[in-house]
């Protein structure tokens, strides 16, 4: 192939100049697009679909970068959602810290593959260091514990639950799933999770060959936590019927309510019945950074595995997650050697191949985002960020609780508040219709994006408060706006 410029960043001066020119132009275009405070100012679905439609994605001859960037500026940037706006609070979808965006540039430019040491030398060593410190932060013995970065909370949950299944088979049944597949009595396996746990519980059970029927959904109490009395009764009934309880999956921050299951009591149940305790802390893992509220997630240290998501409360770019385990020996379930990749003799000489504990082969160097943001913000900075978000939720809940025009359901433990607007006395619309209409009006006409869910059979609105720039005054303004739209 003839030597071409503007392909990659190389030591060549012209390539360096092209790289700087393209990155600078892109950054300037993105910054220029931030010209209003709205969370969304783009088109409605059908109009947007027509606007981005193209008959020919791959033209015979390409365009230069400047022309492509102009098209991005015209068709894409104005229609992007802006989670950094204080008018955005719909989902567990956070703004991205500036230093983490800079880390993404490094990650993409050097394109490390986190499966073998010879594809990611310093990146491997940084991930190992980050994981070691995370294990310590969550109360694990850093010498015995371990972890790995994943594509997100769903994969972290799958990893934890798969390790739980294999641990149970190895210890309780003396059966090696890796070698022999599922045992004949696999249809008797049972795992327990809250009825409002993330759907990745069922999806994981399917992928593990156990099926949805292996997931026992436990009723919740008024605080939206797993009901312990109901759980104990369900486990006892399963044991009586000859089923095999192998895991409890605690939710540390439910998607809608941010509720936290009682991990201390769940640990006792797991010890009594010989079960693994997994914590889906994709949302609530960030609470440990708050000096004021860290005690709310102290039970994570009692769990055998923990799902941590950094693209939620930690304000890092998607995707960035980790799966931590209390005993690193359990990662043996995921280890298999290939001559071309993770040779055993290399490992004996100190070459760490992270593929040995990963469900993925090729992975991004996501640990850099954590490394840079932790070092830049420090413990004090992180505590302030997380505490502000939780304080905001407490403030907003208190404002709703005394307002006769709304019904608020659950006192928040983290940073989510679910409520519904009550119709005006002479309204011809029912409450569900009013709340649906208000959310759409906010989205398309006011530049405000909030969540919608169902609570106790009612269509409800949801504020997921992950932006530390939100003020109490802003929350008051948003409530006034919502009530004015009844």
């Amino acid at each position: 192939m003839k030597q071409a410029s503007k392909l990659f960043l190389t030591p060549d001066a012209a390539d360096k100049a092209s790289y700087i020119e393209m990155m600078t132009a892109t950054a300037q275009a993105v910054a220029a697009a931030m010209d209003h405070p709205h969370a969304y100012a783009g088109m409605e679905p059908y109009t947007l679909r027509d606007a981005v439609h193209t008959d020919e994605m791959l033209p015979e001859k390409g365009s230069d970068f400047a022309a492509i960037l102009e098209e991005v500026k015209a068709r894409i940037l104005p229609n992007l959602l802006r989670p950094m706006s204080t008018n955005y609070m719909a989902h567990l979808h956070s703004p991205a810290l500036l230093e983490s965006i800079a880390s993404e540039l490094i990650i993409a430019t050097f394109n490390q593959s986190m499966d073998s040491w010879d594809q990611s030398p310093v990146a491997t060593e940084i991930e190992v260091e980050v994981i070691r410190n995370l294990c310590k932060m969550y109360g694990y013995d850093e010498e015995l514990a371990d972890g790995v970065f994943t594509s997100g909370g769903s994969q972290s949950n799958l990893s934890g639950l798969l390790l739980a299944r294999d641990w149970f088979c190895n210890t309780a049944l003396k059966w090696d799933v890796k070698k022999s597949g599922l045992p004949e009595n696999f249809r008797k396996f049972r795992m327990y999770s809250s009825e409002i746990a993330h759907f990745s519980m069922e999806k994981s059970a399917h992928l593990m060959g156990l099926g949805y029927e292996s997931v026992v959904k436990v009723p919740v109490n008024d605080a939206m936590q797993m009901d312990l009395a109901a759980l104990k009764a369900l486990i006892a009934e399963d044991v009586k019927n000859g089923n095999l309880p192998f895991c409890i999956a605690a939710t540390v921050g439910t998607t809608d309510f941010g509720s936290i299951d009682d991990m201390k009591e769940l640990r006792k149940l797991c010890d009594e019945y010989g079960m693994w305790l997994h914590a889906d802390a994709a949302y609530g893992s960030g609470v440990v950074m708050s000096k004021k509220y860290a005690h709310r997630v102290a039970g994570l240290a009692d769990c055998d595995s923990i799902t941590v998501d950094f693209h939620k409360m930690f304000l890092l770019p998607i995707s960035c997650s980790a799966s931590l385990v209390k005993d690193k020996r359990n990662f043996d379930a995921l280890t298999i050697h290939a001559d071309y990749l993770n040779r055993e003799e290399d490992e004996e000489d100190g070459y760490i191949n992270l593929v040995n504990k990963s469900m993925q082969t090729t992975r991004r160097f996501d640990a850099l985002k954590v490394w840079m943001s932790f070092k830049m913000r420090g413990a004090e900075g992180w505590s302030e960020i997380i505490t502000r978000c939780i304080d905001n939720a407490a403030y907003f809940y208190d404002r709703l609780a005394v307002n006769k025009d709304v019904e608020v359901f659950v006192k928040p433990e983290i940073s989510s508040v679910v409520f519904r607007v009550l119709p005006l006395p002479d309204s011809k619309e029912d409450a569900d219709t009013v709340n649906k209409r208000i959310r759409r009006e906010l989205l398309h006409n006011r530049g405000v994006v909030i969540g919608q869910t169902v609570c106790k059979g009612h269509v409800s609105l949801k504020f997921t408060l992950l932006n530390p720039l939100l003020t109490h005054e802003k929350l008051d303004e948003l409530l006034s706006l919502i009530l004015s739209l009844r």
Side-chain angles (χ1 to χ4, degrees), residues 50-99:
D50 289 340
V52 300
H53 175 75
T54 179
D55 291 323
E56 191 174 33
M57 183 67 71
L58 185 66
E60 187 64 30
K61 292 188 177 182
S63 305
D64 63 15
F65 180 75
I68 298 300
L69 186 57
E70 286 302 315
E71 190 171 1
V72 168
K73 288 159 66 174
R75 302 172 70 183
I76 296 178
L77 291 180
N79 292 296
L80 286 173
L81 184 77
R82 296 154 192 245
M84 66 287 288
S85 168
T86 54
N87 285 311
Y88 181 80
M89 52 202 72
H91 300 284
L92 289 167
H93 178 188
S94 70
L97 293 169
L98 290 175
E99 69 273 16

Side-chain angles (χ1 to χ4, degrees), residues 178-197:
K178 186 162 70 170
K179 181 189 296 183
S180 305
L182 293 174
E184 290 184 3
N185 58 352
F186 75 89
R187 288 185 176 84
K188 294 183 177 293
F189 284 23
R190 294 293 182 269
M191 55 176 281
Y192 305 85
S193 69
S194 159
E195 65 181 346
I196 57 172

Side-chain angles (χ1 to χ4, degrees), residues 191 200-212 214-215:
M191 55 176 281
S200 57
M201 299 303 155
E202 287 92 335
K203 184 174 286 188
S204 295
H206 170 210
L207 293 172
M208 293 191 299
L210 302 179
Y212 289 180
S214 69
V215 183

